[in-house]
């Protein structure tokens, strides 16, 4: 049993590996976070944490990770389930932050690329039933006074977002309501509205925020927004579909977990799932696309939802989970023979599990250790990782049909070691494994459980045996001190086959006899067996060694360049934006983290294919590497010379052509091992304000002081200059003439009234030309 001992010590050999990919209905998916996930070494940087953890997950045999929602919430204090801006992946400066709790957009995209390099798929959590926290960073502008009130959100249903065209120059109501970011929302898009009332069922009740009304007639105009585009039929359904297609293209994720699916119509779920499978063009996931919905209910309810979405998604098997919870809490008095009947009948995409963040809400000490439980927040009672029957529950979840989901706090020990918040994910001693769960994962993958058909071979109150057709025989008991010695267990192996227990609980092999029968022993749950195994054994043909490894793969990610996406605020990533008219100004497309020696291919697709564009790539120090000018669609390739950041920029080929909307796609491989504590430069482009040409004449000496100002300031000019006209320009390009008083032949007094605090430009017309100066109005 040398290989088992080595595995438990985290020293798994990688020799003699054969690449294999489980079908998505058999993948082992790790929920790669807990509810209030945090690590002080990676503040607001969970993507970086997972990037560094990736090689360990690949070594363990994890097929896919499930990550939390990655769009901007009200702040980094939110774990993702209070979505605000669907098109902000940590690249825009709004809600007083550029980053999300996951990190910034560059770090998110790198994490996905590194997971792919390690052969691991990424399952994106998606919230479709609500949005939250309308208003600027302080809530200004979020309330629509004529909105119908749902009784909980006080009419805060104006959703406006920053964009490249309209960055956040202030947090006032007027600034917020003028923001032109994509997918703005009005009160009619939520319950209640003129056609659809609220609060009578699971779909129309605002449990977590303004509750989305997906009915075709749920559209209308804001009563007080400055940016107020016309809406039309099916506004929210179309908007969510378009967003998810954009999201998949941009991030490159491989599947979705749909949150709270009983709280929005099944036709919406089926719509978006079909489009993610077949309607996302090059990014379409096809029939193998992983999808699971969270519905807490009975077998009949779970099966009905899966049927209603045409089996484009499965469900978390909560009915089986209820049974596992009852088994653990019954202290050996549960009838294990009842377990097989508890799994849902529609198993095409079912996801059995023991714990996830919906069932596991501990109270924590300052060190992150369990001190109690927030049971009122748990959708089903938690199963304690240290409970002796937790291993038996995992053996069942991994043995039955479906794509089993493991929980971070079950695979890794962070509940009692004082290590939750401060460990390094690469350090096996600082982030230790649960030996039983890790062993079961090894057995599932290397014995290839799901390659064999599912058979229940023994059903008794104290013993359950499941065979995966001539691949593995899994025995389970919930008894605390009593071994279960079973004779004559039927199997599909031929007589004479020698089996060993890959859990290590039994030291001696057993031989198949009498037409496929075998005698096995199942250890009790008290940990008295070899290696401390608790309540399970896994038998398979002797001599099987580590053979499971998923092959690495490229990532494909696409950036859409338009003025209603991205942000040019100084605190943002300064990415995005449509190419401007009659200008050679560049735009930063985005950033990739590429592997040295592996070719990168960048493609671009302009909206005006008759106009030439120039695409350039910069190294980590913002030094240009190469560029290509092309009319129409373009393809540019280069071979990275180092592992690290590369910035993609785009501009018009000439200074006399119209600007345009463009899509840029990168196909590349990331390195499998990355240390994330390196400098990332913005490599930002210089730009002028849209439509007002803010060129500054270097030889005209003009000073504005004090700046920032409370509205009263002075302008000083150099010798020979005098002021002819003065105007102030807001972020939307609106110009207002200002009155000024000459204090001397060089100095002028100015008073600004009735403008919101924020950033503006002064247009200063002198006798020798015009100068533009930034100015900030502040209290």
């Amino acid at each position: 049993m040398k290989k088992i001992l080595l595995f438990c010590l985290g020293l798994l050999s990688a020799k003699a590996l054969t690449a294999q990919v489980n079908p998505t209905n058999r993948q082992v998916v790790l929920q790669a976070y807990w509810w209030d996930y945090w690590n002080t070494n990676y503040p607001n940087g969970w993507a970086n944490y997972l990037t560094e953890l990736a090689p360990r997950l690949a070594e363990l045999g994890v097929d896919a990770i499930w990550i939390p929602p990655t769009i901007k919430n009200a702040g980094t204090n939110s774990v993702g389930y209070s979505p605000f801006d669907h098109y902000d992946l940590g690249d825009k400066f709004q809600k007083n932050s550029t980053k999300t709790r996951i990190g910034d957009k560059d770090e998110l995209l790198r994490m996905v690329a590194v997971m792919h390099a390690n052969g691991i798929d990424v399952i994106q959590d998606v919230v479709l039933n609500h949005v939250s926290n309308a208003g600027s960073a302080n809530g200004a502008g979020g309330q629509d006074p004529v909105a119908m009130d749902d009784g909980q959100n006080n009419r805060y249903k104006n959703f406006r977002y920053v964009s490249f065209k309209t960055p956040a120059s202030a947090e006032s109501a007027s600034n917020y309501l003028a923001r032109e970011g994509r997918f703005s929302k009005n009160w009619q898009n939520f319950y209640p509205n003129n056609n659809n009332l609220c609060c009578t069922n699971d779909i129309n009740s605002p449990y977590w925020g303004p509750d989305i009304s997906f009915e075709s007639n749920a559209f209308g105009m804001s009563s007080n927004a400055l940016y107020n585009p016309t809406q039309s039929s099916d506004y929210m359904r179309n908007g969510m579909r378009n967003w998810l297609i954009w999201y998949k293209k941009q991030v490159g994720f491989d599947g979705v977990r749909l949150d709270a699916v009983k709280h929005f119509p099944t036709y919406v779920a089926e719509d978006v799932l079909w489009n993610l499978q077949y309607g996302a063009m090059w990014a379409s996931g096809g029939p193998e696309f992983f999808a699971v919905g969270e519905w807490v209910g009975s077998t009949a309810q779970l099966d009905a939802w899966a049927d209603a979405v045409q089996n484009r998604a499965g469900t978390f098997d909560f009915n089986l989970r209820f049974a596992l919870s009852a088994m653990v809490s019954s202290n050996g008095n549960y009838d294990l023979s009842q377990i097989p009947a508890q799994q849902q009948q529609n198993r095409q995409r079912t996801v059995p599990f023991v714990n996830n963040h919906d069932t596991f809400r501990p109270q924590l000490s300052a060190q992150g250790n369990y001190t109690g439980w927030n049971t009122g927040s748990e959708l089903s009672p938690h199963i304690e990782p240290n409970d002796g029957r937790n291993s038996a529950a995992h053996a069942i979840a991994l043995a039955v049909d479906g794509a089993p989901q493991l929980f971070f706090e079950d695979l890794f020990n962070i509940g009692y070691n004082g290590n939750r918040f401060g460990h390094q994910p690469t350090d096996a001693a600082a982030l230790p494994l649960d030996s039983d769960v890790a062993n079961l994962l090894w057995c599932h993958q290397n014995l290839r459980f799901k390659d064999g058909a599912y058979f229940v071979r023994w059903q008794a109150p104290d013993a359950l045996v499941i065979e995966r057709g001539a691949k593995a025989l899994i025995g389970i008991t919930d008894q605390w001190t009593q071994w279960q010695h079973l004779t004559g267990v039927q199997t599909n192996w031929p007589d004479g086959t020698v089996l060993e227990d890959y859990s290590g609980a039994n030291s001696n092999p057993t031989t198949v006899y009498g037409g496929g029968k075998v005698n096995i022993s199942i250890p009790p749950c008290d940990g008295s067996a070899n290696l401390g195994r608790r309540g399970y054994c896994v038998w398979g043909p002797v001599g099987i060694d580590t053979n499971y490894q998923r092959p690495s793969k490229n990532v494909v990610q696409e950036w859409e360049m338009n003025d209603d996406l991205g942000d040019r605020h100084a605190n943002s990533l300064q990415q995005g934006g449509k190419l401007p008219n009659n200008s050679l100004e560049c735009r930063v497309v985005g950033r990739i983290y590429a592997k040295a020696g592996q070719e990168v291919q960048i493609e671009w697709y302009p909206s005006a294919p008759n106009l030439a564009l120039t695409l350039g790539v910069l190294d980590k120090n913002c030094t240009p590497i190469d560029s290509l000018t092309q009319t129409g669609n373009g393809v540019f390739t280069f071979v990275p010379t180092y592992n690290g950041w590369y910035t993609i920029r785009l501009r018009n080929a000439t200074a006399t052509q119209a600007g345009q909307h463009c899509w840029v796609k990168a196909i590349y491989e990331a390195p499998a091992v990355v240390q994330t504590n390196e400098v990332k430069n913005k490599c930002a482009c210089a730009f002028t304000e849209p439509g007002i040409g803010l060129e500054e004449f270097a030889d005209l000496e003009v000073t504005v002081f004090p700046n920032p100002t409370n509205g009263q300031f002075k302008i000083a000019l150099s010798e020979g200059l005098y002021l002819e006209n003065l105007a102030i320009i807001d972020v939307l390009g609106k110009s207002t003439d200002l009155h000024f008083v000459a204090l001397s032949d060089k100095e002028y007094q100015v008073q600004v009234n009735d403008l919101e605090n924020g950033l503006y430009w002064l247009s200063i017309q002198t006798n020798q030309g015009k100068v533009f100066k930034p100015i900030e109005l502040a209290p």
Side-chain angles (χ1 to χ4, degrees), residues 108 115 132 190 212 249 258 310 443 494 511 571 642 689 706 708 716:
L108 168 64
M115 287 295 167
S132 303
F190 306 96
I212 293 173
K249 289 180 177 180
L258 301 182
Q310 308 299 313
C443 291
T511 302
N571 291 340
Y642 62 87
E689 294 295 311

Side-chain angles (χ1 to χ4, degrees), residues 638-666:
F638 75 100
V639 178
T641 58
Y642 62 87
N643 291 342
W645 293 112
Y646 294 85
T647 298
I648 305 168
R649 299 206 306 200
L650 195 66
R651 66 171 176 84
N652 292 325
T654 72
T656 58
Q657 67 188 62
Q660 62 175 303
H661 180 192
C662 191
W663 294 262
V664 181
K665 179 168 65 175

Side-chain angles (χ1 to χ4, degrees), residues 84 94-95 132-143 156-161 171-172 176-177 179:
F84 171 68
Q94 57 184 339
K95 296 292 187 181
S132 303
N133 300 291
S136 68
N138 57 30
Q143 190 177 55
Y156 274 82
K157 296 183 178 181
N158 278 324
F159 288 87
R160 296 296 184 271
Y161 309 117
E171 297 300 331
S172 62
Y176 173 81
L177 290 169
R179 297 174 186 176

Side-chain angles (χ1 to χ4, degrees), residues 249 281-282 556-562 579 589 601-613 615 630-636 650 660-667:
K249 289 180 177 180
M281 295 173 283
W282 63 264
V556 186
Q557 293 164 336
E558 181 183 87
W559 292 258
E560 183 181 353
M561 304 295 290
N562 211 352
L579 295 181
V589 175
Q601 180 168 305
I602 303 173
E603 304 171 0
W604 65 94
Y605 303 90
S607 60
N610 60 317
L611 300 177
L613 301 178
L615 184 137
Q630 181 86 34
T631 299
N633 298 343
V635 177
F636 172 77
L650 195 66
Q660 62 175 303
H661 180 192
C662 191
W663 294 262
V664 181
K665 179 168 65 175
I667 306 166

Side-chain angles (χ1 to χ4, degrees), residues 351-650:
V351 176
F353 71 106
V354 174
N355 282 312
N356 61 36
H357 74 279
D358 285 323
T359 69
F360 202 88
R361 298 289 177 88
Q363 296 170 352
L364 303 174
S365 69
Q367 293 73 37
N369 293 339
Y370 307 142
T371 60
W373 299 92
N374 296 309
T375 55
S377 299
E378 294 177 343
L379 300 183
S380 177
H382 62 272
I383 296 177
E384 238 279 22
N386 276 17
D387 191 297
R389 296 177 176 86
N390 178 285
S391 300
H394 274 89
I396 294 170
L398 285 158
V400 297
D401 283 335
Q405 173 251 304
L406 301 179
F407 183 47
F408 191 99
E409 300 204 38
D410 283 318
L411 182 58
F412 295 106
N413 290 326
I414 60 169
Y416 293 105
N417 297 322
N419 61 333
R420 177 183 297 270
F421 299 126
H423 62 268
Q424 291 292 338
T426 55
D427 186 343
L431 181 63
L433 294 166
D434 180 284
S435 178
D436 283 4
V437 176
N439 170 255
L440 281 163
L441 173 56
W442 187 95
C443 291
H444 181 282
Q445 303 296 52
N446 292 282
L447 299 182
R448 307 186 188 252
F449 282 14
K450 301 303 169 63
D451 286 352
Y454 172 68
F455 299 97
V456 179
R457 293 303 195 184
W458 194 281
Q459 288 176 272
D462 296 331
L464 175 67
V465 180
I466 295 170
E467 182 189 355
R468 302 305 313 203
K471 296 294 181 181
L473 194 69
I474 303 99
I476 303 106
T477 185
D478 62 348
Q479 289 304 295
W480 189 249
T481 59
Q482 293 180 341
W483 283 76
Q484 302 300 305
H485 301 291
L486 309 182
T487 58
V489 179
Q490 184 65 50
T491 75
N492 280 350
W493 282 294
D495 291 355
T497 303
V498 179
L499 307 179
E500 67 173 288
D501 179 6
Y502 284 89
S503 78
N506 292 278
S507 300
N508 297 320
T510 187
T511 302
V512 179
Y513 68 93
K517 294 181 174 57
V518 68
N519 302 333
I520 64 170
S521 295
I522 308 172
C525 296
D526 62 357
S528 61
N530 292 338
L531 304 178
R533 296 291 182 241
R534 300 176 298 178
Y536 79 95
C537 55
V538 182
W539 299 87
V542 295
I544 296 176
D545 206 335
T546 299
N547 57 61
Y548 186 81
Q549 184 184 58
R550 289 168 59 89
S552 63
K553 60 180 179 178
N554 287 339
V555 71
V556 186
Q557 293 164 336
E558 181 183 87
W559 292 258
E560 183 181 353
M561 304 295 290
N562 211 352
D563 279 345
D564 62 348
L565 296 171
D567 187 11
R568 55 189 168 84
H569 191 286
N571 291 340
S572 75
L573 293 188
Q574 295 184 293
Q575 297 177 6
K578 177 181 177 181
L579 295 181
N581 292 323
N582 303 315
S583 173
L584 292 178
E585 285 183 359
C586 67
R587 297 288 184 258
V588 174
V589 175
R591 201 161 285 110
I592 63 174
Y593 200 93
K595 181 179 180 180
Q598 296 296 314
E599 184 177 84
V600 174
Q601 180 168 305
I602 303 173
E603 304 171 0
W604 65 94
Y605 303 90
S607 60
N610 60 317
L611 300 177
L613 301 178
T614 299
L615 184 137
V617 175
L618 288 70
D619 70 11
K620 60 186 176 183
N621 298 314
C622 302
T623 302
I625 296 173
D626 201 356
S627 65
L628 176 67
T629 299
Q630 181 86 34
T631 299
N633 298 343
V635 177
F636 172 77
T637 60
F638 75 100
V639 178
T641 58
Y642 62 87
N643 291 342
W645 293 112
Y646 294 85
T647 298
I648 305 168
R649 299 206 306 200
L650 195 66

Side-chain angles (χ1 to χ4, degrees), residues 192-210:
N193 53 58
N194 292 331
N195 299 299
N196 308 288
L197 298 180
C198 78
C199 318
T200 62
N201 56 50
D202 282 331
I203 289 180
N204 68 11
S205 298
Y207 292 109
W208 300 281

Side-chain angles (χ1 to χ4, degrees), residues 193-362:
N193 53 58
N194 292 331
N195 299 299
N196 308 288
L197 298 180
C198 78
C199 318
T200 62
N201 56 50
D202 282 331
I203 289 180
N204 68 11
S205 298
Y207 292 109
W208 300 281
D211 193 66
I212 293 173
S213 177
F214 280 105
E215 287 82 1
S216 61
N217 57 12
F219 62 92
M221 307 292 282
S222 169
S223 73
N224 58 340
L226 301 176
Y227 175 64
N228 207 5
T230 302
Q231 295 184 356
S232 58
S233 180
D234 278 318
Y235 182 78
M236 291 303 292
R237 182 175 178 179
N238 293 339
M240 286 296 195
R241 180 195 310 117
N242 293 338
W243 163 63
L244 276 170
I245 292 172
W246 171 89
Y247 198 10
K248 187 175 190 309
K249 289 180 177 180
Q250 176 65 91
V251 176
F253 57 72
D254 306 279
V256 290
R257 180 256 188 193
L258 301 182
D259 185 64
V261 293
K262 71 165 63 174
H263 297 290
F264 60 94
T266 53
Y267 62 77
V268 172
E270 200 275 336
D271 181 342
V272 298
L273 288 168
W274 185 94
N275 278 278
L276 289 170
Q277 289 177 319
Y278 303 108
M281 295 173 283
W282 63 264
S284 297
E288 274 291 299
F289 183 74
F290 183 97
V292 59
E294 179 226 0
W295 182 299
V296 183
S298 66
T299 292
Q301 290 172 318
L302 301 179
D303 290 344
W305 186 85
D307 292 341
V309 298
Q310 308 299 313
N311 287 307
R312 303 192 190 285
T315 57
F316 292 98
D317 195 340
F318 263 94
N319 201 69
L320 176 65
R321 174 53 171 68
F322 298 148
L324 296 180
S325 176
M327 178 198 75
V328 171
S329 63
S330 295
N331 296 318
N333 295 314
Y334 188 84
D335 183 353
L336 286 176
S337 69
Q338 301 300 310
I339 287 284
Q342 303 307 309
Q343 193 176 18
Q344 67 181 111
Q345 298 304 300
N346 186 338
R347 302 176 189 176
Q348 295 183 51
R349 293 175 179 265
T350 187
V351 176
F353 71 106
V354 174
N355 282 312
N356 61 36
H357 74 279
D358 285 323
T359 69
F360 202 88
R361 298 289 177 88

